[in-house]
């Protein structure tokens, strides 16, 4: 494949070039596709043969109306037709959701599917972007996300489950709780486009719950699951009023004849479809293991049919992408143009093992220098070489645990406090601290609950930890120069600890004299009265009730006043660099999958025999 084919990537701002465009620029055959998240095992060869023999009939005549095709799909999925609207791909449905149901603002975690950020901004809406932290494996903390939405005053909330590009997964009970907590919003959208590939839960979809709620829409994909991206079809599920409002705006023949043919042939191939999903899940675990063996490559846990990977320090994603395409005929998705990501990340679609072996071999040659053009990761052993300024910035931000410039400011200004879990001071122009700055916050749907316990240890450690941050320099000086060192500690230690008794006691006595009074004031009176609530009441300044710990991460008084200009990320929105995190994440074990013995519940609505 010619080197100039990579110029196609520069003309597509949000997505990779189509396979047809790549094929036209090469010898007529496209590369092996690790870019488009599509089911490689469905349709079966027999199904493709059937469509090929009926090709002329399919493309010659008009399809049936959208109502007819929708009724057949609903019969297959056991869904009421009045609660379903089928579109010419999920992108068409997202467009109509934005035009009809998004009034002024929309919140979405990033990185995510680009249309959830781009579409509302194109129509002048405010998009409040909640950054997913790499230091937490890009997991979405729903408690923090809810606080973020409340602080911004956002009208519409979006959740992608699993999320694209990282494959992060949320359990059904957590999503339902979030839907109920956001019942006063204009709209809550749960994008389940990749949920068919998840195996962490037997019935993870929330379509049943969505039909009973007045402001919830569940978006589903068919092209991704059925391996037919070229056939643009997807659907949404909502209560009859919401679904009918979207359906009334769609053209009568918005679905093509290929979509109709596939929908009507699915009832005869439920077993093959189930087997294809099972095979993708097994291949995902195998592919994750093979990629994890590459030095310096980080693979994040995923429940989608793709894996999100971070390249080793010094590797530039665009260089790796171009060389994989031109030297090995492999198309990978470089994620530098995704908001909340950077060019050090790739999204790799799960494919059969024979293709994965080719992918791993190509990455080894490109990254570590066994190809004719040398390594994309110079000085791999020391990690000091860089192929671009982006890699240098990535390592700089990784030292702040994903806190970006705010983390650097906290290290420079607040290093003497030594208080764990305290948020850094916000940078200029940013009204809210980063969600991941409070290090004790765990990841998960119920991550807000353990925060009181983390807060209880804070006040007990503050009086001891503050002097520790100032003591190491003076203690090292006495070892090298013993005559003057004992006077230097006396001048440094009294200011932070010996304000009540200056110059009356030896320098070693103030720490034990001052440490008891701090924990003694809140503990003796509150512990006997409310032993279960004690963790939330231990902090001395203004104890907060137990349900409100997450609010401390997003103090409303710091919020800027006035609306954010249309089409611009909200105040406090973060750049891609500011959401980069650290390494050291361990791969989460894959959950077992309980496969159905009949047609899989493509919408979470039960099974057909």
């Amino acid at each position: 494949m010619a080197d100039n084919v990579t110029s196609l990537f520069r003309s597509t701002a949000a997505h990779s070039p189509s396979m047809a465009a790549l094929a036209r620029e090469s010898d007529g055959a496209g590369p092996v596709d690790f870019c488009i998240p599509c089911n490689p095992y469905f349709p079966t060869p027999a199904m493709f043969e059937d469509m090929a023999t009926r090709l002329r009939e399919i493309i010659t005549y008009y399809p049936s109306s959208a109502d007819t095709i929708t009724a057949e799909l609903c019969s297959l999925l056991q869904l009421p037709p009045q609660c379903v609207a089928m579109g010419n791909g999920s992108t068409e449905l997202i467009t109509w959701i934005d035009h009809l149901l998004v009034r002024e603002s929309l919140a979405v975690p990033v990185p995510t599917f680009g249309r959830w950020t781009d579409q509302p901004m194109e129509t002048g809406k405010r998009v409040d972007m909640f950054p997913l932290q790499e230091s937490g494996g890009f997991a979405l903390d729903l408690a923090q996300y809810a606080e973020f939405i409340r602080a911004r005053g956002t009208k519409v909330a979006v959740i992608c489950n699993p999320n694209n590009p990282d494959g992060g997964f949320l359990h059904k009970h957590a999503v339902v709780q979030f839907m109920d907590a956001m019942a006063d919003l204009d709209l809550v959208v749960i994008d389940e486009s990749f949920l068919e590939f998840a195996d962490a839960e037997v019935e993870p979809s929330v379509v049943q719950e969505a039909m009973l709620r007045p402001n919830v829409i569940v978006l589903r994909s068919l092209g991704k699951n059925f391996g037919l991206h070229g056939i643009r079809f997807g659907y949404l599920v909502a209560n009859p009023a919401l679904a009918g409002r979207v359906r009334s705006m769609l053209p009568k023949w918005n679905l093509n004849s290929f979509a109709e043919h596939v929908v009507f042939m699915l009832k005869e191939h439920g077993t093959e479809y189930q087997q294809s999903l099972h095979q993708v899940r097994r291949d995902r675990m195998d592919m994750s293991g093979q990629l994890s063996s590459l030095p310096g490559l980080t693979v994040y846990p995923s429940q989608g049919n793709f894996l999100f990977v971070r390249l080793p320090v010094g590797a530039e994603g665009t260089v790796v992408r171009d060389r994989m395409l031109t030297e090995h005929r492999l198309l990978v998705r470089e994620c530098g143009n995704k908001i909340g990501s950077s060019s050090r990340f790739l999204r790799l679609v799960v494919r059969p093992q024979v293709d994965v072996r080719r992918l791993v071999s190509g990455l080894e040659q490109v990254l570590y220098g066994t190809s004719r053009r040398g390594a994309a990761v110079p000085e791999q052993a020391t990690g000091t070489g860089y192929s671009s300024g982006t890699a240098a910035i990535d390592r700089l931000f990784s030292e702040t645990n994903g806190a970006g410039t705010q983390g650097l400011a906290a290290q420079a200004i607040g290093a003497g406090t030594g208080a764990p879990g305290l948020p850094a001071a916000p940078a200029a122009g940013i009204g809210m601290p980063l969600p991941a700055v409070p290090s004790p916050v765990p990841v998960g749907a119920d991550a807000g609950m353990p925060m009181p316990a983390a807060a209880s240890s804070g006040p007990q450690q503050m009086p001891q930890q503050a002097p520790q941050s100032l003591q190491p320099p003076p203690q090292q000086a006495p070892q090298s120069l013993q005559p003057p060192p004992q006077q230097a500690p006396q001048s440094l230690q009294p200011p932070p600890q010996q304000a009540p008794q200056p110059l009356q006691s030896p320098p070693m006595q103030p720490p034990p004299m001052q440490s008891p009074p701090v924990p003694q004031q809140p503990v003796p009176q509150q512990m006997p009265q409310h032993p279960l609530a004690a963790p939330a009441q231990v902090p001395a300044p203004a104890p907060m009730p137990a349900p409100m710990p997450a609010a401390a991460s997003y103090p409303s008084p710091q919020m800027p006043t006035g609306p954010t200009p249309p089409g611009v990320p909200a105040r406090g929105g973060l750049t891609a660099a500011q959401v980069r995190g650290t390494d050291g994440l361990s791969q989460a074990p894959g959950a077992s999958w309980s496969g159905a013995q009949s047609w899989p519940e493509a919408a979470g609505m039960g099974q057909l025999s």
Side-chain angles (χ1 to χ4, degrees):
M1 184 171 290
D3 289 349
N4 61 2
V5 76
T6 59
S7 63
L8 293 173
F9 290 94
R10 289 187 285 273
S11 62
T12 56
H15 299 281
S16 300
S18 67
M19 190 62 65
L22 291 172
R24 285 193 296 268
E25 293 295 329
S26 61
D27 56 3
V32 178
D33 183 18
F34 282 93
C35 176
I36 308 301
C38 201
N39 186 347
Y41 298 109
F42 197 83
T44 64
M47 296 174 67
F48 275 118
E49 183 65 25
D50 175 75
M51 286 186 284
T53 57
R54 302 184 62 181
L55 175 63
R56 182 172 182 176
E57 174 187 348
I58 292 173
I59 65 176
T60 299
Y61 302 105
Y62 265 111
S64 300
S65 67
D67 291 341
T68 301
I69 303 173
T70 301
E72 175 66 16
L73 180 70
C74 290
S75 174
L76 181 69
L77 303 179
Q78 297 182 351
L79 289 170
Q82 64 268 27
C83 294
V84 176
M86 287 192 70
N88 187 25
S90 59
T91 301
E92 181 182 48
L93 297 174
I94 292 174
T95 302
W96 281 113
I97 289 172
D98 172 53
H99 282 290
L100 297 174
L101 304 173
V102 180
R103 291 188 300 164
E104 58 183 62
S105 58
L106 178 144
V108 61
V110 292
T112 193
F113 179 48
R115 292 314 301 167
W116 284 120
T117 56
D118 300 345
Q119 173 63 40
M121 286 195 292
E122 290 169 3
T123 56
K125 315 293 173 51
R126 190 187 83 220
V127 179
D128 297 333
M129 304 180 195
F130 180 76
L132 302 175
Q133 300 297 315
E134 183 189 351
S135 55
F138 294 97
L140 173 59
D141 186 322
L142 287 177
Q144 289 189 2
Y145 186 39
E147 291 294 334
F148 175 85
I149 293 169
R150 295 305 185 193
R152 303 283 183 162
T154 317
K155 302 299 183 182
V156 175
V158 176
I159 291 177
C160 295
N161 190 34
N163 189 42
N164 172 15
D166 57 275
F169 175 78
L170 297 167
H171 285 276
K172 179 178 179 177
H173 71 89
V175 177
V176 173
Q177 289 178 355
F178 178 83
M179 289 160 46
D180 290 340
M182 300 290 109
D184 60 324
L185 297 187
D186 290 351
L187 184 67
V188 177
V189 180
I190 312 298
D191 189 339
E192 295 183 348
S193 293
F194 296 98
L195 195 61
E196 299 274 340
F197 301 103
D199 61 359
E201 198 168 4
V202 177
E203 295 183 4
S205 179
V206 295
V207 290
Q208 289 183 337
E209 289 73 15
M211 290 187 293
L212 301 177
R213 285 161 173 78
N215 70 329
V216 178
I217 286 179
V218 173
L219 192 67
R220 307 279 299 191
S221 173
L222 294 175
K224 302 175 181 65
N225 306 331
F226 296 153
L228 295 169
H229 269 295
I231 301 178
R232 305 296 301 148
F233 58 161
Y235 64 99
L236 63 79
V237 182
N239 70 77
L242 271 180
R245 188 174 178 186
V246 176
R247 191 170 54 245
S248 66
M249 302 301 297
L250 298 173
K252 188 175 183 62
W253 284 287
N254 67 320
L255 302 175
N256 58 62
S257 297
F258 263 116
E260 178 181 13
H261 184 80
V262 171
V263 168
F264 274 83
M265 71 186 301
L266 285 176
K267 58 186 174 184
E268 301 175 359
H269 299 280
T271 301
E272 294 93 327
Y273 177 60
Q274 170 208 341
Q275 293 171 350
S276 72
L277 297 178
H278 195 181
Q279 186 62 48
V280 170
R281 294 160 184 152
R282 290 192 297 181
D283 286 348
R284 179 177 62 212
M285 295 303 300
D286 176 78
M287 180 174 171
S288 177
Q290 292 194 47
L291 290 172
S292 298
S293 66
L294 295 177
L297 195 75
T298 302
V299 183
Y300 296 94
S302 172
Q303 282 287 295
N305 62 328
F306 46 81
L307 295 173
F308 197 48
V309 303
R310 185 186 62 195
L311 296 171
V313 173
E316 171 66 40
T318 55
V319 174
V320 174
R321 176 202 66 198
D322 292 353
R323 290 183 58 181
M324 291 292 288
L325 180 61
T326 57
E327 298 176 19
H328 301 280
R329 299 180 63 87
L330 300 173
L331 178 64
V332 300
R333 176 64 160 95
E334 180 267 327
C335 296
N337 57 7
K338 279 187 173 290
I339 298 175
S341 181
S342 77
S343 60
R344 279 192 62 197
F345 293 89
L346 303 179
R347 186 193 65 195
L348 303 173
V349 173
V350 174
R351 292 193 60 85
Q353 295 185 17
V354 60
D355 295 336
V356 174
R357 287 193 291 269
R358 181 175 171 182
L359 172 71
V360 173
S361 175
L363 286 173
E364 286 178 336
Q365 296 180 45
V366 170
L367 292 176
Y368 311 120
T370 57
S371 65
R372 58 181 176 83
R373 296 177 60 181
V377 186
E379 301 182 29
Q380 177 190 348
T382 61
T384 57
Y386 298 93
S387 62
S388 70
T390 301
I393 295 174
D394 283 342
R395 192 172 72 167
L396 175 65
F397 278 98
S398 71
E399 295 174 357
T400 67
N401 195 26
T405 54
Q406 292 179 323
L408 295 176
Q411 293 178 7
I413 299 174
T417 62
L422 293 181
I430 298 180
M432 295 168 54
L434 282 170
V437 171
S439 57
V441 177
V443 176
D446 54 353
M449 298 304 295
M451 289 187 66
S456 65
S457 61
Q460 296 176 1
Q461 295 178 358
M462 285 180 62
Q464 297 178 359
Q465 199 165 358
Q468 288 177 2
S469 61
L470 296 177
Q471 285 178 359
Q475 288 178 358
Q476 291 178 357
Q479 294 177 0
S480 57
L481 298 175
Q482 295 183 358
Q486 297 182 356
Q487 295 181 356
Q490 293 176 0
S491 60
L492 289 177
Q493 290 182 359
Q497 296 181 355
Q498 200 178 354
Q501 300 177 354
L503 304 177
Q504 292 183 1
S505 59
M508 296 302 294
Q509 294 180 359
M513 290 295 293
Q514 191 174 357
S515 56
V518 175
Q520 262 182 341
Q521 294 178 359
V523 171
Q525 295 180 359
Q526 295 174 355
M527 287 294 291
Q529 296 176 0
H530 302 285
L532 297 179
Q537 297 177 353
V538 168
M544 300 178 62
M548 297 299 296
S553 300
Y554 301 97
S556 55
Q558 296 182 2
M559 287 298 300
T561 59
T564 302
V568 179
R571 290 185 177 89
L574 306 175
T575 63
Q578 287 176 295
V579 298
R580 295 168 192 158
T582 59
D583 336 332
L585 293 175
S586 59
Q587 179 182 345
S592 60
W593 175 76
S594 302
Q597 299 303 319
S598 57
W599 175 260
E601 39 155 358
M605 293 297 297
Q607 304 166 354
L608 297 179
S609 56

